[in-house]
C-alpha cells in the first residue's frame, strides 16, 4: 500500500475484547500443537496460577507473540525497505485496567528494527519512565508514546496545551517522542496546540538522541509481576514508577533493566542496581548479582527480594539471603517508622522517617552495618523494634537491604524526608556523575551524542496542581497545572573538567567555576545545558 510506516495498535496475543482484557488467550488447534511440540505439555484452557503448566505457558506465549512481531517487521522491510513499523506496547501501568501478562507482551530486550510505542493514559508525568522502558526493550527505530488531544470519552475539543507540552518535553528529555491523536471533528480546534508543540520541539530536536550516562539501573521484573503480583498486580508497576519518581525527585540518573538483562549479566555498566521487591529470582540471576557486587556494584533490595524462583514458587532458602546478609525472615507489620541510626544520614530533627507498607522482619548477619531501625507503631506507642535497613560490604561492592517495600510507598505517600534521605544515602554509597541543586520537580536526564560533550536536559515539571484525588482520575482531560520559572540552578559535575557550558536553545553561556560547578540563572520550561569536557 506504500505507507511510510504502520503503527500497530492493540498488538497483543488473541485480543477477544473479553473482560478482564485479553483473557483467556487462544487454545486453537495451531496453538495446541505448537505448545505440545515446544514443551511436551497440553495447552492450558483456563487461567490457573495453581498450575505449573499454566505458569510455563506464559513465557511460551511471550515468545510466540514476539515471533509474530519479528515476522511483521521482516515482511514490511521486504515490501518497502524504508517503511517504519511501530508496536503499541500495552505492557504498562494503566489506571483501572491491569494490563500485564495477559497481553503476552513481555518485559525483555527485544532488539527489533522498529519503534517501541506506548500510551500515557492521560497522565503526562509517565512520559519519562515509559521512554526508559521502551529503550530497555531495544526498539532500534526510536521511542514514542501517545496522548489524545481531547477528553477521550467522547472525543471533544476541550484541550489543555500545557498538558501536551509537558508530555512532549518529558518524552524528549528521556530520549523519545510524543504522538498526539485527535477525533474526527477536533482537528480544527487543535491547530493552535500543534503549533505550540512544533514551536517547542523543533529547536530541541537536535538533542533528542544520544546515549544515557549510566548511574543507576532499576529492575522492572516481569517474573515478579506475573507470578507474585496476582493478588496486587498494581504494586509492581507502582514500585517501578516509585523508583523513577524517587530518583527524579532526588535528581539522580536512572535507566531500566529487565530479568533477562540480569540473567545475561548486562548490568555492569551501572554503578547502582535497584532490585526493589524482586521477589521472583532464579538461582542463575542470583549468581550474576553476586558477581556484580563482587566486581564493585552497589545492589539495593527490599522486603521479599529473592524469596521465590522464576516461576513464583518458594525457594527452600531465599537465593539472595547470603548476599544480602539475612539470617532469617518472617512477616512483619504494615505500620512502622524508621529511625535513622547513622548521623551522616539524618535529614530532619526527629531522625525518623515514616514508611507505612508491607514489611519483612529480617535478622541480619553479624557483618552488616545497620543504618535504620524499624519501630512498629500502634496509635501512640511502640510495640517492637528491630533492624530495618543495613549495608554490607561484599568483595569490592556493597549490598543494601530495606525491610519495607519502600518504592511503591514513595509513589503513593511521598515525603520530603524519604526523598532527601535516599539522595544522601546513594550519594554516600556511589557518588553520582553529577548533582543538581534545584526544586524537586525539576527532572534531569543526561545523554552523550559525541565524545567530550554532555547534554543535560532540565525539565520544569511541577505537576498538575490537583489537591485530590492523587493521581487525578480524569483520563485525558487537560490538567489544571501551571509553570512558574525557577532558578538559579546549580550543577556540580563529579567527573572530568568542564571547559564550557551553554544553553543548547539560546546559546547563552553559563558560568563555570573550578571546572566543575555550573550555574543556570533561570529555567522557564525546558532547557538543554551543553557541557564540553577536556
Amino acid at each position: 500500500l506504500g505507507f511510510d510506516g504502520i503503527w500497530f495498535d492493540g498488538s497483543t496475543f488473541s485480543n477477544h475484547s473479553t473482560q478482564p482484557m485479553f483473557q483467556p488467550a487462544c487454545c486453537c488447534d495451531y496453538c495446541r500443537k505448537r505448545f505440545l511440540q515446544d514443551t511436551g505439555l497440553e495447552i492450558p484452557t483456563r487461567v490457573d496460577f495453581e498450575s505449573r503448566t499454566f505458569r510455563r505457558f506464559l513465557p511460551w506465549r511471550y515468545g510466540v507473540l514476539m515471533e509474530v512481531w519479528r515476522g511483521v517487521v521482516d515482511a514490511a522491510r521486504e515490501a518497502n525497505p524504508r517503511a517504519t513499523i511501530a508496536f503499541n506496547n500495552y505492557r504498562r501501568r494503566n489506571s483501572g485496567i491491569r494490563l500485564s501478562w495477559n497481553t503476552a507482551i513481555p518485559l525483555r530486550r527485544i532488539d527489533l528494527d522498529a519503534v517501541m510505542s506506548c500510551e500515557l493514559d492521560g497522565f503526562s508525568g509517565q512520559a519519562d519512565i515509559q521512554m526508559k522502558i521502551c529503550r530497555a526493550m531495544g526498539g532500534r527505530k526510536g521511542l514514542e508514546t501517545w496522548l489524545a488531544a481531547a477528553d477521550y470519552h467522547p472525543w471533544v475539543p476541550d484541550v489543555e496545551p500545557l498538558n501536551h507540552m509537558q508530555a512532549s518535553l518529558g518524552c524528549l528529555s528521556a530520549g523519545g517522542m510524543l504522538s498526539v491523536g485527535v477525533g474526527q471533528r477536533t482537528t480544527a480546534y487543535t491547530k493552535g496546540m500543534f503549533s505550540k508543540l512544533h514551536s517547542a520541539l523543533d529547536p530541541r530536536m537536535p538533542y533528542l538522541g544520544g546515549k544515557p550516562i549510566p548511574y543507576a539501573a532499576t529492575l522492572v521484573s516481569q517474573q515478579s509481576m506475573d507470578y507474585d503480583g496476582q493478588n496486587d498486580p498494581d504494586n509492581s508497576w507502582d514500585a517501578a514508577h516509585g523508583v523513577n519518581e524517587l530518583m527524579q525527585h532526588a535528581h539522580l540518573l536512572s535507566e531500566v533493566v529487565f530479568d533477562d538483562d540480569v540473567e545475561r549479566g548486562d548490568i555492569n555498566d551501572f554503578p547502582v542496581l535497584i532490585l526493589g521487591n524482586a521477589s521472583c529470582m532464579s538461582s542463575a540471576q542470583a549468581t550474576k548479582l553476586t558477581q556484580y557486587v563482587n566486581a564493585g556494584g552497589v545492589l539495593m533490595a527490599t522486603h521479599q527480594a529473592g524469596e521465590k524462583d522464576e516461576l513464583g514458587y518458594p525457594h527452600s532458602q531465599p537465593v539472595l539471603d547470603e548476599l544480602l546478609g539475612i539470617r532469617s525472615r518472617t512477616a512483619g507489620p504494615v505500620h512502622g517508622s524508621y529511625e535513622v541510626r547513622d548521623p551522616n544520614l539524618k535529614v530532619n530533627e526527629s531522625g525518623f522517617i515514616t514508611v507505612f507498607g508491607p514489611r519483612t522482619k529480617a535478622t541480619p548477619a553479624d557483618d552488616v552495618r545497620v543504618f535504620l531501625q524499624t519501630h512498629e507503631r500502634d496509635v501512640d506507642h511502640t510495640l517492637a523494634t528491630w533492624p530495618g535497613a543495613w549495608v554490607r560490604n561484599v568483595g569490592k561492592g556493597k549490598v543494601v537491604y530495606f525491610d519495607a517495600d519502600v518504592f511503591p510507598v514513595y509513589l503513593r505517600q511521598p515525603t520530603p524526608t524519604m526523598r532527601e534521605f535516599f539522595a544522601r544515602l546513594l550519594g554516600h554509597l556511589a557518588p553520582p556523575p553529577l548533582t543538581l541543586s534545584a526544586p524537586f520537580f525539576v527532572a534531569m536526564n543526561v545523554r552523550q551524542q559525541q565524545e567530550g560533550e554532555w547534554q543535560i536536559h532540565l525539565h520544569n515539571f511541577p505537576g498538575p496542581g490537583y489537591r485530590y484525588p492523587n493521581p487525578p482520575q480524569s483520563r485525558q482531560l487537560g490538567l489544571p497545572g501551571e509553570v512558574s520559572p525557577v532558578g538559579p540552578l546549580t550543577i556540580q559535575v563529579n567527573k572530568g573538567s568542564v571547559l564550557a557550558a551553554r544553553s543548547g536553545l539560546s546559546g547563552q553561556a553559563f558560568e563555570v567555576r573550578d571546572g566543575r560547578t555550573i550555574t543556570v540563572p533561570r529555567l522557564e520550561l525546558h532547557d538543554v545545558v551543553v557541557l564540553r569536557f577536556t
Side-chain angles (χ1 to χ4, degrees), residues 275-298:
L275 288 187
N277 187 33
S279 54
C280 297
M281 184 71 56
S282 70
S283 297
Q285 289 170 320
T287 298
K288 292 293 185 181
L289 293 175
T290 302
Q291 293 171 354
Y292 166 80
V293 175
N294 274 307
V298 173

Side-chain angles (χ1 to χ4, degrees), residues 49 55 57-63 66 91 100-110 137 219-230 236-237 240 256-260 277-281 285 309-312:
F49 278 91
R55 295 190 182 211
F57 170 68
L58 299 193
W60 173 85
R61 198 166 60 121
Y62 290 140
M66 291 306 98
R91 188 82 185 228
S100 55
W101 65 268
N102 47 21
T103 66
I105 299 171
L107 290 170
R108 68 172 67 153
R109 183 161 297 279
I110 301 170
M137 294 180 80
L219 174 63
V220 179
S221 174
Q222 170 191 290
Q223 56 204 32
S224 297
M225 189 182 297
D226 286 354
Y227 301 118
D228 200 32
Q230 295 309 306
S236 294
W237 280 118
V256 165
V257 295
F258 298 134
D259 295 315
D260 60 316
N277 187 33
S279 54
C280 297
M281 184 71 56
Q285 289 170 320
D309 68 15
E310 63 272 24
L311 289 179

Side-chain angles (χ1 to χ4, degrees), residues 146-152 154-159 164 179-194 197 476:
W146 182 90
L147 181 63
D151 77 350
Y152 198 78
W155 291 67
V156 298
D158 184 1
V159 178
H164 293 74
S179 294
V180 179
V182 298
Q184 292 180 340
R185 300 173 184 171
T186 61
T187 307
Y189 299 94
T190 54
K191 288 181 179 178
M193 183 198 70
F194 283 122
L197 289 180
Q476 310 288 347

Side-chain angles (χ1 to χ4, degrees), residues 165 168-169 195-204 505 525:
M165 186 81 74
S168 65
L169 292 173
S195 177
K196 290 181 179 180
L197 289 180
H198 275 291
S199 297
L201 292 175
D202 288 351
R204 292 170 167 84
L505 303 180
L525 189 59

Side-chain angles (χ1 to χ4, degrees), residues 69-370:
W69 281 20
R70 289 188 181 88
V72 167
V73 171
D74 292 343
R77 185 189 294 112
E78 183 179 350
N80 179 1
R82 296 176 298 175
T84 294
I85 300 298
F87 291 106
N88 183 15
N89 171 19
Y90 273 12
R91 188 82 185 228
R92 64 181 188 270
R93 183 176 186 262
N94 186 313
S95 176
I97 302 175
R98 294 168 175 178
L99 301 176
S100 55
W101 65 268
N102 47 21
T103 66
I105 299 171
L107 290 170
R108 68 172 67 153
R109 183 161 297 279
I110 301 170
D111 286 324
L112 277 176
D113 191 25
V115 176
M116 295 310 304
S117 304
C118 206
E119 295 183 19
L120 286 178
D121 302 308
F123 303 126
S124 53
Q126 297 183 110
D128 186 84
I129 190 173
Q130 281 194 1
M131 295 302 95
K132 292 172 181 175
I133 289 173
C134 287
R135 176 162 47 244
M137 294 180 80
R140 297 195 296 272
K141 290 286 190 179
L143 324 168
E144 67 97 38
T145 192
W146 182 90
L147 181 63
D151 77 350
Y152 198 78
H153 296 297
W155 291 67
V156 298
D158 184 1
V159 178
E160 172 49 58
L162 180 60
N163 190 39
H164 293 74
M165 186 81 74
Q166 292 287 47
S168 65
L169 292 173
C171 288
L172 184 136
S173 294
M177 291 297 296
L178 178 72
S179 294
V180 179
V182 298
Q184 292 180 340
R185 300 173 184 171
T186 61
T187 307
Y189 299 94
T190 54
K191 288 181 179 178
M193 183 198 70
F194 283 122
S195 177
K196 290 181 179 180
L197 289 180
H198 275 291
S199 297
L201 292 175
D202 288 351
R204 292 170 167 84
M205 288 301 291
Y207 304 104
L208 172 62
K211 183 178 180 181
I213 302 300
Y215 177 61
T218 301
L219 174 63
V220 179
S221 174
Q222 170 191 290
Q223 56 204 32
S224 297
M225 189 182 297
D226 286 354
Y227 301 118
D228 200 32
Q230 295 309 306
N231 294 327
D232 189 7
D234 294 331
N235 195 66
S236 294
W237 280 118
D238 283 1
H241 283 247
V243 175
N244 199 69
E245 287 288 283
L246 186 51
M247 295 295 284
Q248 281 285 19
H249 289 172
H251 305 309
L252 296 169
L253 304 179
S254 68
E255 290 293 318
V256 165
V257 295
F258 298 134
D259 295 315
D260 60 316
D261 292 310
V262 175
E263 189 94 27
R264 291 191 302 266
D266 292 344
I267 50 178
N268 295 324
D269 288 342
F270 296 98
V272 177
L273 176 59
I274 301 175
L275 288 187
N277 187 33
S279 54
C280 297
M281 184 71 56
S282 70
S283 297
Q285 289 170 320
T287 298
K288 292 293 185 181
L289 293 175
T290 302
Q291 293 171 354
Y292 166 80
V293 175
N294 274 307
V298 173
L299 179 71
M300 185 173 293
T302 71
H303 192 27
Q304 298 169 322
E307 288 189 352
K308 301 178 181 180
D309 68 15
E310 63 272 24
L311 289 179
Y313 293 102
H315 287 293
S316 57
Q317 176 71 19
V319 291
L320 293 178
D321 277 11
E322 183 177 352
L323 176 62
L324 297 176
I326 297 176
R327 284 181 170 173
S328 64
R329 307 187 190 206
T330 59
V334 171
H335 292 94
S337 295
Y338 282 138
E339 180 184 7
V340 181
R341 296 281 299 275
D342 186 340
N344 295 317
L345 298 178
K346 283 186 65 172
V347 294
N348 62 6
E349 186 175 353
S350 74
F352 278 82
I353 304 171
T354 300
V355 177
F356 289 168
R359 274 186 160 79
T360 294
K361 197 171 181 179
T363 302
D366 293 335
D367 62 348
V368 308
R369 180 173 63 84
V370 176

Side-chain angles (χ1 to χ4, degrees), residues 418-436:
M418 289 179 68
R419 178 181 76 240
E420 294 165 16
F421 170 82
F422 197 78
R424 188 168 297 187
L425 174 65
L426 271 185
H428 280 290
L429 294 173
L434 76 167
T435 58
L436 172 68

